[in-house]
Amino acid sequence: MKNDQSSLINKIKPGVEKSNNKVFQPLRTWFGKYISRKTFIIIRKTFFDICSLKKLIITIIAMLFLPLIFIFMPTGIDFGLISSHHAATIIGIALLFPAFFWTLGIAYTSIIGTSGSHLIAEEVSSGTMLILVSKPISRIKIFLGKYLAVIFFGMLISFISIFTIGWSGVLIKSGNIDHFISLVPFLTALYLYSVFIVFLFTSITMAFSSIFKKSRTASMIVLILIIFSFLAFMIIRTLTGALYGTFQIYHFDLGYHLGNVFVLFIETLNAIPPSAAWLMFFGQITGVYSLTSTIDPDQGINLGGLDKTNYYLPIFSLLIWILIAALLLFFGIWSLKRREISV
Amino acid sequence: MTQKKLKINYEVWSERLTKIYGKGKEELEAVSKIDLRVEPGIHGFLGPNGAGKTTTYNMLVGAISITEGEAKIRELKAGSVAAKQLIGFLPQDPVFYEDMTGEGYLIYMGQLGGLQAKEARRKAQELLDYFDLFDAREREIGKYSGGMKQKIGIAAALIHEPKVLILDEPTANLDPLGRVDVIQKIKELSDKVSVFVSSHILSEIEQMCEDVTMINHGKIVVSDSIKKIKKSFVSNLYILDTDMNEKFLEILKNKDFISKARIEEIDGKIHIIPKDPAKLQKIIPEMLIENKATLLSFHQPELSLQDIFMEIMSKKEDDEK
Ligand SMILES: Nc1ncnc2c1ncn2[C@@H]1O[C@H](COP(=O)(O)OP(=O)(O)OP(=O)(O)O)[C@@H](O)[C@H]1O
Ligand SMILES: [Mg+2]
């Protein structure tokens, strides 16, 4: 019985196949277990199901809504007098909060959550999945096809949004197109962060879609998680004050971890230099920076801005949530594999 | 004999295939240790509502897990990708992607079945043509009629050129004309693929199949060729028609040499299954004279599958009591 992946490989690289047999064949076979032409067929169908032109436009507008408000707020700075780098910093600081909190935060995660939550659950409950699983395609591929479609969709909308935010920021604030170049590190940091977010939230959403009967249950849970991460924990952090650290609430505070990872990308890419202007704000929203660090009034200088709370090393926050996302991905696959498909 | 049997490559084969739904108090054995032997050709799968047909099919196509026992499609483990390459499945009450066009849907299914895009398109158009859906190929499936949906479902099952078609009540929800059409198509197809088809309508099965398997309460009741089944049942049924059927039924019911007697709803005649046919034949004239009744007819009919089915199912129930 010739399976689909090996025949595909034969078609793509008839020459290489034989010479590298020992090394590449097992690798290809392993890879082909998860990704093959059939996976791409599923990806394509799912992608166009979740990404109609109308939806794409509405989505982008929704994601841009908050940053645009921030962009239109006057800064009182004459962009003609400052360096390109300085201009990028000011634009970056203006965009930082709406980008983290809204565009790549509440809006982005909600869109991922609602786009992905029905993909498995609804196909099973409506009955279309019954025909799908009877076709000669493994359930792993069905899952990965849908999963990757959401990932690609997420990567597409975040790319468009970030790009648009950057351009409109530059055009509206300074009007000097050269400033866009200086803004690239910041936009890159945003994009890398969005890839992390789409990986995490697609895994969460699809795992729930894979186990629940109703897609509404899956999307409700994701939405509750989003509300907790971006809103509820902000209040909890403020209300609990020092207790937040004492009782180590940060372990469960996804909002803190996301902030931590966000700052990691900003720092690593040197996207925006630290300054009290945004650290304060960011500390309030995410708890990454300590708000109680006092500025010595005599010396009057605290150029480094606020101290980090450092509940977690940023890299740990990143790795732990990548690990969790990976586990959820496996869990989703495993659940679908075991799931009884009957109407 | 047994050796010869072993050599046959069955299209569908199962050994002690069992499905238990639920756990603990809600446990339900929907399919119980059934041994399927489906040979090439058209094989019927019969049973009353809740007998376990759909459950069996869903196990064969890998949609639900097998609790116990095993099942194979031409030597390949049921539910594996390789086995699924060999089967085309039409579920009971199939559901489609309503917003896809008929052609788009078939191409999608074909590609999932392993066809290249071009090949899938060619096959799709061929099948659309065969099932008289070519003119509707660009319409959304959501706008198809029930009969059209059923046909697109069979076409989708066929598109990757399977060896065995598994059809779960393909004629359900169709009008008489639609039924005839679908049955005709299934018969034609059986030249190229084996068909394992379930239905409630026994006359349909009788038209299509050579072999049948009947199940009830998750167990196989009989599995054989229709010819053989009929032969073994032919001598048992007598049909009596007089001008006072109800009274006669009362009298007959109380005789000890009668195993079963009832008035058939369709023709209003008395259907009798005697334990001792000789005694029955003797008593009828006596009864007629005694009651001053008029005999309209008394004969042994050619049994339909329906009669046999009823007979077997009722016998089983009696045994279980
Ligand atoms: N998902 C399920 N969970 C629990 N019980 C089920 C499930 N599906 C079917 N059953 C039960 O299993 C038994 C067999 O059902 P099944 O659908 O296989 O019968 P069937 O022969 O196909 O009936 P029909 O002719 O009505 O389609 C029934 O008692 C049914 O209630
Ligand atoms: Mg059924």
Side-chain angles (χ1 to χ4, degrees), chain A residues 77-138:
Chain A
I77 289 169
D78 185 349
F79 280 88
L81 301 174
I82 54 176
S83 71
S84 171
H85 185 70
H86 193 177
T89 303
I90 291 167
I91 298 170
I93 288 174
L95 291 176
L96 199 104
F97 166 72
F100 171 81
F101 184 75
W102 183 257
T103 307
L104 302 180
I106 293 174
Y108 193 44
T109 50
S110 312
I111 289 161
I112 294 167
T114 46
S115 300
S117 60
H118 64 95
L119 290 179
I120 309 274
E122 207 169 284
E123 269 214 52
V124 174
S125 60
S126 76
T128 49
M129 187 63 101
L130 183 53
I131 297 182
L132 200 55
V133 296
S134 78
K135 290 284 159 190
I137 174 170
S138 70

Side-chain angles (χ1 to χ4, degrees), chain A residues 127-284:
Chain A
T128 49
M129 187 63 101
L130 183 53
I131 297 182
L132 200 55
V133 296
S134 78
K135 290 284 159 190
I137 174 170
S138 70
R139 291 192 187 184
I140 301 177
K141 284 179 188 170
I142 294 175
F143 186 92
L144 282 180
K146 289 171 179 293
Y147 180 91
L148 289 172
V150 180
I151 296 268
F152 291 150
F153 172 66
M155 287 171 71
L156 176 72
I157 58 172
S158 68
F159 184 84
I160 298 175
S161 319
I162 292 168
F163 195 79
T164 317
I165 293 175
W167 268 113
S168 34
V170 169
L171 288 178
I172 292 161
K173 284 238 180 268
S174 75
N176 185 345
I177 293 168
D178 293 342
H179 294 171
F180 187 77
I181 307 293
S182 304
L183 202 59
V184 166
F186 173 65
L187 299 180
T188 311
L190 288 186
Y191 194 67
L192 289 178
Y193 172 74
S194 83
V195 172
F196 163 73
I197 289 287
V198 79
F199 177 51
L200 178 59
F201 276 83
T202 306
S203 299
I204 294 172
T205 307
M206 294 296 284
F208 285 133
S209 187
S210 207
I211 52 173
F212 284 116
K213 279 216 175 73
K214 289 185 185 149
S215 56
R216 188 135 27 105
T217 320
S219 45
M220 278 313 291
I221 292 178
V222 177
L223 288 181
I224 288 170
L225 185 75
I226 291 168
I227 291 169
F228 260 83
S229 307
F230 292 100
L231 299 169
F233 266 112
M234 204 154 73
I235 299 164
I236 293 171
R237 242 179 270 124
T238 323
L239 291 182
T240 50
L243 294 178
Y244 180 82
T246 321
F247 286 107
Q248 308 192 338
I249 297 173
Y250 48 79
H251 290 307
F252 314 99
D253 182 355
L254 181 56
Y256 164 73
H257 289 280
L258 295 183
N260 215 9
V261 174
F262 186 81
V263 171
L264 175 69
F265 284 123
I266 297 283
E267 282 176 348
T268 313
L269 283 155
N270 260 328
I272 300 176
S275 72
W278 66 274
L279 298 191
M280 179 84 183
F281 211 25
F282 215 72
Q284 239 151 13

Side-chain angles (χ1 to χ4, degrees), chain A residues 281-335:
Chain A
F281 211 25
F282 215 72
Q284 239 151 13
I285 305 162
T286 66
V288 174
Y289 293 98
S290 166
L291 302 175
T292 51
S293 92
T294 48
I295 300 169
D296 189 340
D298 293 334
Q299 288 167 13
I301 39 168
N302 191 340
L303 294 176
L306 303 171
D307 292 333
K308 277 199 173 180
T309 46
N310 270 334
Y311 299 125
Y312 270 68
L313 275 183
I315 190 76
F316 270 9
S317 280
L318 178 67
L319 292 178
I320 284 168
W321 287 95
I322 286 180
L323 182 70
I324 289 174
L327 289 176
L328 283 166
L329 169 58
F330 290 126
F331 176 75
I333 293 174
W334 180 78
S335 317

Side-chain angles (χ1 to χ4, degrees), chain A residues 38 123 133 135 139 340-341, chain B residues 19 62-63 65 84 97 156:
Chain A
K38 288 178 189 172
E123 269 214 52
V133 296
K135 290 284 159 190
R139 291 192 187 184
E340 302 275 86
I341 312 289
Chain B
K19 179 69 190 181
S65 62
K84 288 193 284 185
Y97 304 107

Side-chain angles (χ1 to χ4, degrees), chain B residues 200-302:
Chain B
H200 281 134
I201 320 264
L202 287 99
S203 59
E204 281 176 13
I205 292 286
E206 204 166 357
Q207 283 174 49
M208 285 189 276
C209 311
E210 296 216 336
D211 300 333
V212 291
T213 297
M214 290 188 192
I215 65 168
N216 196 13
H217 300 302
K219 294 197 177 85
I220 291 186
V221 183
V222 61
S223 183
D224 213 331
S225 72
I226 293 182
K227 258 189 200 155
K228 276 192 190 158
I229 295 175
K230 278 194 169 176
K231 230 180 224 166
S232 64
F233 273 84
V234 74
S235 55
N236 241 342
L237 180 71
Y238 290 80
I239 296 180
L240 172 67
D241 195 16
T242 68
D243 58 354
M244 43 179 71
N245 281 348
E246 249 129 74
K247 189 168 184 192
F248 269 52
L249 180 68
E250 280 314 304
I251 301 169
L252 286 168
K253 260 189 174 169
N254 296 323
K255 303 283 182 204
D256 56 356
F257 57 86
I258 302 287
S259 108
K260 218 165 186 80
R262 66 187 165 92
I263 292 184
E264 176 71 46
E265 271 173 39
I266 300 166
D267 55 9
K269 296 173 184 173
I270 313 174
H271 287 220
I272 310 160
I273 297 166
K275 280 178 194 144
D276 187 345
K279 274 193 183 161
L280 176 70
Q281 282 162 343
K282 216 169 172 185
I283 201 175
I284 295 290
E286 290 169 16
M287 280 169 63
L288 285 167
I289 296 164
E290 227 169 78
N291 293 288
K292 296 203 174 74
T294 314
L295 178 68
L296 298 173
S297 71
F298 180 57
H299 67 287
Q300 266 195 287
E302 154 89 359

